[in-house]
Amino acid sequence: MPTLFARRYMRDGPTATERIIGVVCLLLVAAITISFVAYAVRHREPFFSVDPTHEPAAIPPELKHARSLLPESPSPGWTRQDAVALTPDQAARALADDAEKFTKAGLKRLYEGRFISRLDSKQQLTVRVADMGTPEAAKVVFDAVKPATAVGEPVGVRGWRNGDAAVGFQSGRYFSLITANNVASGATLTPQLLAREVADRQIAYDASAPTAAKPDKNDKSAAAPAAALLPTVPGGEWSPAQGVATYNPGNLWEKIDGRAEQYLAFDFEQLVFGTYRLAADSASSIDCFIYKMRDPLKAYGIFQAERSGHPESIKLGKEGYRTKSSIFFIKGKAYVQLISGEDSKATPEQFLALANAIADSIPDEGGGNWAEALFPKKDLVEGSFSFQPKNAFSLDFLNDVFAAEYEANGAHLTLFIHQAPDEAAAKKTFELYADYVPKQGKIVERAASDGGETLIADFGGEYDMIFYKGRYFGGATSASDLSAAKSRIGELREALK
Amino acid sequence: MSHDHSAEQTSPPGVSRREMMLRVGGTLAAVGGSVWAAKHLYDPNGDAGLPVHEKETLKNYFAPLFDGWSPSDPRVSVARGAAVGEEIPRETIQKMITAALGPMGGMSRFIAKGDTVLVKPNVAFDRGPRMGATTNPDVVAEVIRMCFAAGAKRVLVADNPIEKAEPCFAKSKIREAAERAGAEVFLPANTSFAPVAIRDRDPDPTRNEALGTWEVFYKPLRLADKVIGVPPIKDHNLCFASMSIKNWYGLLCGRRNQFHQAIHDIVSDLGMMMSPTLVLVDATRVLMKNGPTGGKLEDVAVGGVDGRPCIVASVDPLASDAWCLQHLLGRDPANLRYLSLAEQKIGQRIDARKRAGPAAEGRVVADGKRFASRDWQAYERQGLIKEQSV
């Protein structure tokens, strides 16, 4: 056989022996080739195939998808048990009481994974990602399973957090729920951190673009589509809004870092931001922030929480006020801030015209502050009227509470009122309160009263007097003088008539 | 090809010894060369064998001054201007900064000839300066001028706002003020970021730690010989108050909102991470409510609860923050968790450095040469806090 080093040796041709060896080799190659071809023609099967009994099972695509949705190693001290993909029927068992809410909304598939602490296997986090098919359906489930005590959480398109126990969020067509079981405080992986890891694997988009305020048809300055989210001011004094941007609960921090959490506590849903400039002087600018909350009551809550001092009230929207350089108002679900630029030369009339145009573009949905008129005015501590959206007086069952403080003759108390969806809910809140009292004090009196029930609790010299009447739950808390509390509650109950 | 008939006639049939040796020698040389090349070209780590860039660490910018700082030199120096309404004249600002630095030896004690100085204001939001959400641009400009007057070759002004940097620097008027004073405004860009080892291991959340290695707006810090923090004083919805330590939050990159759940852990880590040359607190306009964004002039008070514009110079950011919280925001420092955590963390580092000795120089723990006490009352008793009016 020729080799690299044999060329000179081969110059006179191979010897007879070598020729014989060469022919044998060629015949051998020909025989092998013919055998393969003949076998292939006869059997039409692959030459080399794995015994099916030894072949690894193919991974179903839905399981591959489940694995892709759930982070494998979100924290060094935690491991993921294998992910599963469940059909709606299988999911019903996993979701237990909430199953109906998911199936009604059109659950397509449920992906589930469990994360276990390496230090203590009892510490577990469960992730359920529900593929709802559409963002609309995902939003329905998001609202349906949100606990009453939940607060906003900046994750996904919209998120909520229920204490340290659970985080739920919607992102595109997925609704994800992360729940904690026996997770120690200070654990390296929490529902919030895991929710962010899960959210990073999803595309954040919402059901639809926000409702655009209709621009003035006569306005021929073709504004960018994004600017259509903010109205054009009639009259031509103001140019269409520029730099328009929207923010959702997941990215509100990018606009108001450090302050986003306060808005989330009031069920923030969307911010539309833009800058208006005077057509005649572009240096005169007004920044417009329209915060859309879940309902008018929450819009009132954040509006009230940010009000300070004694600003000048103005007739704008449902309620509004003006400061030296800004205008604030609420209407429907929207809380609007208009903040003037430092170099703005806009007159108060021009500023108000802009504010009115924005107010006109927002639908009035009623609701809001229904309680202030009910509170007695005498001895009311100025500026103490407030709205508490969650965990009022540190009671996790008490939300959406209006409260005000009273002081007279050295005695003080806080009067409050909450409107439940119906009488049964008001009664349930009353019972929860009655269950809570023995943990901190004692019930000294409990009796039926006009259309409901009343109880008096003693917390070591400070009294609470609580009642429910129809769908209202209210009372006086931290009262240093019980007779003063009785008197105030009498006035409040009278007002409820 | 030529044919040598004489050689053919004299050579024995088959392979000659000479030819055999050549063939064997050639084969051995080829095999040996291949083995030699394979041995030298073989990379047992593949991509993992590529050169690894060392993580950056931050300098202790106060260390060069530490040894010369005598026990009687003030740690905090306060200068108040007269209450003259909402507008604070530039001359007043100039006088306040000069007066605040006076007991400490003036700006020339901190800035040497030829230094590159990083001035770090708070430019977190696209708000006008009167809203108190950002550092007063006149204060920034005056600090820059004094740095140049002390011999600085180059002054950089940098911050990394969450919002787009350009509008923040424009609306806060800090860009205009800085450039007019001769400084270079350093806007954040990906090429300026680098992972920085804040601690030489992963953070342990159970010990209130938030940062291990994190991407930081590093380039201006690398270029700088000296760093001066110029924070405003603000109410802060999440962490109670934003002052000099919180100001370093603007050096972090990436998804820093993830730290909001552990805000005191991250802010105290920042206090540990940064040891600036000097802090000059801008208390000309103090945002008393609805911080850190603000939005109402009514929430802003000149000089805070004191009512007089004020500049606080300090070589101990913890003491400065505690003093400012008490005297400008009218709040009790004992309630500010990140201050106590920062004091604890810095204390642990100083102890670690003492244990490690000179071998620790250049490593993450090598920042023992700094002051870190939130007990401003103790400083006051020792006469280490100077106050004056201009």
Side-chain angles (χ1 to χ4, degrees):
Chain A
M1 296 292 285
T3 70
L4 182 66
F5 295 103
R7 286 185 184 279
R8 282 171 60 193
Y9 172 69
M10 294 285 289
R11 65 184 179 273
D12 292 330
T15 61
T17 310
E18 287 169 341
R19 284 177 193 275
I20 290 167
I21 292 171
V23 169
V24 169
C25 287
L26 286 173
L27 287 174
L28 196 60
V29 170
I32 292 168
T33 307
I34 290 165
S35 300
F36 271 114
V37 172
Y39 184 88
V41 169
R42 208 168 48 246
H43 294 278
R44 296 186 179 279
E45 286 174 3
F47 286 122
F48 307 105
S49 60
V50 178
D51 180 347
T53 57
H54 296 145
E55 196 173 13
I59 301 172
E62 60 272 17
L63 192 55
K64 280 185 185 172
H65 193 56
R67 288 175 181 172
S68 72
L69 284 170
L70 301 167
E72 193 165 357
S73 179
S75 176
W78 293 72
T79 52
R80 188 192 77 190
Q81 279 196 336
D82 206 8
V84 293
L86 306 173
T87 62
D89 288 341
Q90 295 166 325
R93 285 191 294 277
L95 293 167
D97 295 345
D98 285 333
E100 197 182 342
K101 294 170 186 168
F102 283 79
T103 47
K104 260 188 177 176
L107 176 69
K108 305 293 178 203
R109 199 171 288 277
L110 183 74
Y111 304 100
E112 187 177 284
R114 190 161 295 171
F115 295 81
I116 299 174
S117 167
R118 286 180 180 161
L119 296 174
D120 174 9
S121 61
K122 286 180 186 166
Q123 293 190 44
Q124 297 186 353
L125 289 160
T126 304
V127 179
R128 292 193 174 104
V129 181
D131 183 351
M132 303 305 300
T134 63
E136 289 84 353
K139 167 87 166 44
V140 169
V141 172
F142 173 87
D143 290 330
V145 303
K146 183 178 181 181
T149 51
V151 298
E153 176 70 12
V155 61
V157 171
R158 53 179 59 81
W160 52 254
R161 176 169 58 85
N162 190 24
D164 294 327
V167 170
F169 69 91
Q170 184 230 324
S171 199
R173 69 177 205 252
Y174 297 113
F175 169 72
S176 306
L177 181 65
I178 294 91
T179 51
N181 299 311
N182 305 315
V183 173
S185 64
T188 54
L189 191 62
T190 63
Q192 289 133 289
L193 295 173
L194 187 52
R196 286 181 187 132
E197 290 284 338
V198 174
D200 278 349
R201 291 160 177 262
Q202 300 174 4
I203 300 171
Y205 62 96
D206 204 356
S208 57
T211 311
K214 287 183 181 172
D216 184 352
K217 287 180 182 171
N218 298 323
D219 179 27
K220 295 186 180 164
S221 58
L229 294 166
L230 291 169
T232 301
V233 185
E237 279 192 305
W238 292 95
S239 62
Q242 299 163 350
V244 177
T246 61
Y247 300 84
N248 59 47
N251 68 358
L252 181 63
W253 68 280
E254 290 175 10
K255 187 66 185 168
I256 53 167
D257 189 28
R259 194 143 187 84
E261 279 72 6
Q262 174 146 353
Y263 284 78
L264 295 173
F266 285 91
D267 291 340
F268 163 83
E269 293 201 329
Q270 189 196 39
L271 164 64
V272 180
F273 169 81
T275 302
Y276 288 92
R277 295 178 189 280
L278 274 180
D281 174 22
S282 63
S284 293
S285 65
I286 305 283
D287 283 342
C288 172
F289 298 75
I290 303 181
Y291 294 94
K292 294 178 181 170
M293 316 307 280
R294 190 177 185 186
D295 56 51
L297 189 57
K298 299 296 190 301
Y300 169 77
I302 184 67
F303 169 77
Q304 179 69 13
E306 291 206 333
R307 176 150 50 182
S308 51
H310 304 281
E312 175 197 349
S313 293
I314 52 172
K315 282 189 176 177
L316 191 62
K318 183 94 174 168
E319 192 176 345
Y321 64 90
R322 185 207 299 263
T323 69
K324 283 177 190 168
S325 61
S326 315
I327 287 177
F328 301 82
F329 68 91
I330 46 172
K331 188 176 179 187
K333 296 175 184 174
Y335 167 41
V336 181
Q337 300 175 345
L338 297 169
I339 298 172
S340 172
E342 304 260 315
D343 303 318
S344 178
K345 295 185 178 70
T347 63
E349 292 73 25
Q350 287 171 321
F351 198 172
L352 203 54
L354 171 64
N356 276 313
I358 292 166
D360 289 346
S361 73
I362 298 169
D364 187 358
E365 299 172 52
N369 175 13
W370 53 269
E372 192 166 6
L374 300 174
F375 281 74
K377 298 291 175 284
K378 194 182 170 196
D379 302 330
L380 175 71
V381 176
E382 198 177 334
S384 68
F385 181 76
S386 65
F387 172 73
Q388 299 179 37
K390 306 283 179 198
N391 303 336
F393 312 120
S394 302
L395 299 173
D396 58 8
F397 56 85
L398 196 52
N399 302 323
D400 293 346
V401 165
F402 288 93
E405 291 172 30
Y406 290 82
E407 268 183 13
N409 305 321
H412 64 85
L413 62 86
T414 301
L415 204 59
F416 72 92
I417 189 79
H418 159 75
Q419 189 179 47
D422 52 37
E423 184 174 347
K427 186 178 179 185
K428 187 179 176 188
T429 308
F430 182 85
E431 294 295 347
L432 286 169
Y433 184 85
D435 291 344
Y436 147 77
V437 171
K439 293 173 190 166
Q440 304 283 334
K442 60 181 178 183
I443 296 173
V444 293
E445 188 181 315
R446 180 169 176 170
S449 58
D450 175 29
E453 208 172 343
T454 302
L455 72 75
I456 296 171
D458 182 355
F459 294 95
E462 279 204 335
Y463 299 92
D464 279 10
M465 185 171 175
I466 308 298
F467 72 89
Y468 83 90
K469 177 182 176 181
R471 59 190 290 206
Y472 295 101
F473 171 79
T477 183
S478 306
S480 53
D481 179 355
L482 185 56
S483 61
K486 286 179 177 173
S487 166
R488 296 285 172 227
I489 285 187
E491 293 173 58
L492 185 59
R493 291 176 68 109
E494 189 63 29
L496 286 173
K497 287 179 179 172
Chain B
M1 188 179 280
S2 65
H3 203 124
D4 187 350
H5 289 278
S6 60
E8 194 179 283
Q9 284 166 0
T10 56
S11 295
V15 181
S16 69
R17 182 185 298 167
R18 176 185 167 84
E19 186 144 354
M20 180 60 125
M21 287 182 71
L22 281 172
R23 288 184 194 184
V24 171
T27 306
L28 288 175
V31 170
S34 301
V35 170
W36 180 87
K39 192 178 173 185
H40 284 81
L41 294 174
Y42 178 64
D43 180 357
N45 298 319
D47 284 351
L50 294 173
V52 177
H53 293 287
E54 285 291 316
K55 290 172 188 167
E56 307 290 354
T57 55
L58 294 183
K59 281 189 278 188
N60 176 353
Y61 294 92
F62 182 68
L65 293 167
F66 182 83
D67 290 332
W69 208 265
S70 83
S72 60
D73 285 341
R75 308 277 171 87
V76 178
S77 174
V78 183
R80 292 188 176 88
V84 289
E86 288 179 11
E87 296 302 324
I88 301 133
R90 283 185 190 172
E91 308 84 73
T92 306
I93 288 171
Q94 182 189 358
K95 283 179 187 170
M96 285 193 296
I97 299 175
T98 307
L101 286 173
M104 293 182 160
M107 189 64 97
S108 58
R109 184 168 186 187
F110 298 93
I111 307 300
K113 199 171 179 185
D115 273 349
T116 296
V117 183
L118 169 62
V119 172
K120 165 65 179 74
N122 185 328
V123 200
F125 302 102
D126 60 346
R127 289 274 154 96
R130 290 168 65 210
M131 292 295 181
T134 50
T135 305
N136 185 333
D138 290 339
V139 172
V140 176
E142 197 51 45
V143 172
I144 293 166
R145 282 191 200 100
M146 292 177 80
C147 288
F148 280 124
K153 178 182 69 182
R154 191 179 177 198
V155 178
L156 311 172
V157 175
D159 196 13
N160 181 25
I162 299 283
E163 289 191 73
K164 285 179 187 166
E166 288 88 349
C168 292
F169 271 89
K171 210 176 270 189
S172 65
K173 300 194 175 178
I174 286 175
R175 177 171 208 152
E176 182 190 342
E179 289 182 343
R180 194 174 289 171
E184 298 165 44
V185 172
F186 219 98
L187 296 181
N190 285 344
T191 50
S192 310
F193 303 160
V196 168
I198 285 86
R199 50 172 55 86
D200 46 12
R201 56 177 169 76
D202 286 338
D204 179 357
T206 62
R207 295 163 67 184
N208 301 107
E209 296 172 355
L211 295 169
T213 295
W214 194 261
E215 197 161 67
V216 165
F217 188 14
Y218 180 65
K219 195 170 179 183
L221 288 164
R222 181 170 57 79
L223 293 173
D225 302 304
K226 305 286 166 60
V227 174
I228 301 179
V230 191
I233 299 292
K234 298 194 283 183
D235 166 66
H236 197 286
N237 175 57
L238 279 182
C239 68
F240 198 48
S242 173
M243 301 177 286
S244 61
I245 292 178
K246 175 68 175 61
N247 187 34
W248 307 122
Y249 204 74
L251 292 174
L252 298 181
C253 308
R255 291 187 57 172
R256 56 200 197 197
N257 67 319
Q258 66 183 263
F259 298 121
H260 286 180
Q261 302 301 329
I263 191 74
H264 294 281
D265 296 356
I266 179 75
V267 177
S268 53
D269 268 7
L270 294 172
M272 178 190 73
M273 174 184 94
M274 276 301 297
S275 177
T277 312
L278 173 68
V279 166
L280 280 165
V281 176
D282 161 26
T284 52
R285 301 186 188 101
V286 177
L287 181 59
M288 306 295 289
K289 289 176 187 167
N290 292 319
T293 52
K296 294 175 207 162
L297 291 175
E298 287 77 359
D299 291 340
V300 178
V302 170
V305 293
D306 186 56
R308 289 183 292 167
C310 174
I311 295 289
V312 180
S314 179
V315 293
D316 183 341
L318 294 191
S320 164
D321 278 2
W323 189 94
C324 290
L325 189 68
Q326 185 96 58
H327 294 85
L328 303 174
L329 280 170
R331 302 177 188 180
D332 183 0
N335 295 328
L336 193 50
R337 184 161 162 67
Y338 72 67
L339 275 186
S340 55
L341 284 174
E343 187 178 55
Q344 184 187 328
K345 289 175 183 179
I346 297 170
Q348 286 166 355
R349 283 210 159 183
I350 292 173
D351 290 347
R353 188 190 179 281
K354 280 178 185 164
R355 282 198 303 276
E361 290 296 344
R363 283 177 27 206
V364 178
V365 294
D367 59 354
K369 293 182 174 182
R370 60 194 293 190
F371 299 119
S373 169
R374 66 194 162 110
D375 190 355
W376 66 267
Q377 292 98 330
Y379 278 176
E380 194 164 70
R381 286 193 297 275
Q382 295 163 40
L384 300 180
I385 297 183
K386 304 291 181 194
E387 293 187 52
Q388 57 187 308
S389 297
V390 298

